Amino acid sequence: MSSDSAANDVHIASFVVQHRGEAASALATWIAASDDMELARSEGTRSIVLCECADQYGLLDRIEALRAVPGVLNVLLVYHHAEPGEALDMPMPTQPVTGAAP
């Protein structure tokens, strides 16, 4: 992969954030202020956060920033996917449904 291609990659990740119950509101506010993260779900002392960055270093920065929010106990990377940004704009191929398992 060329460096030009890597520069156009989009990195999509999800995190499970373990936190104290009283930290949920501050965490949600902090995530809402971010332009590349979204709070997908929050219940009790766990939240699921989605992140879309330009590179893996951005993801690592977001993990460290989430860990720094008061009341956050741990941040776990659950999923990470990278692909060229142009590929995300292309339509998904369709396959006919046959009704038979492969």
Side-chain angles (χ1 to χ4, degrees):
M1 177 184 302
S2 74
S3 60
D4 289 341
S5 175
N8 294 323
D9 282 355
V10 175
H11 290 254
I12 302 167
S14 63
F15 313 120
V16 171
V17 180
Q18 296 172 312
H19 52 81
R20 298 189 190 286
E22 63 271 12
S25 178
L27 180 64
T29 300
W30 190 88
I31 291 168
S34 171
D35 61 349
D36 57 6
M37 287 195 292
E38 176 184 333
L39 182 61
R41 182 173 176 120
S42 185
E43 186 174 315
T45 59
R46 288 178 296 230
S47 297
I48 299 171
V49 179
L50 306 177
C51 182
E52 187 175 307
C53 290
D55 57 41
Q56 67 270 23
Y57 304 109
L59 292 177
L60 294 173
D61 290 344
R62 298 314 173 273
I63 290 171
E64 291 305 314
L66 287 166
R67 284 184 177 148
V69 173
V72 169
L73 305 172
N74 198 13
V75 179
L76 306 164
L77 175 65
V78 176
Y79 176 80
H80 176 217
H81 174 78
E83 67 179 84
E86 308 85 52
L88 294 173
D89 295 331
M90 295 174 50
M92 293 291 292
T94 58
Q95 296 180 355
V97 177
T98 63

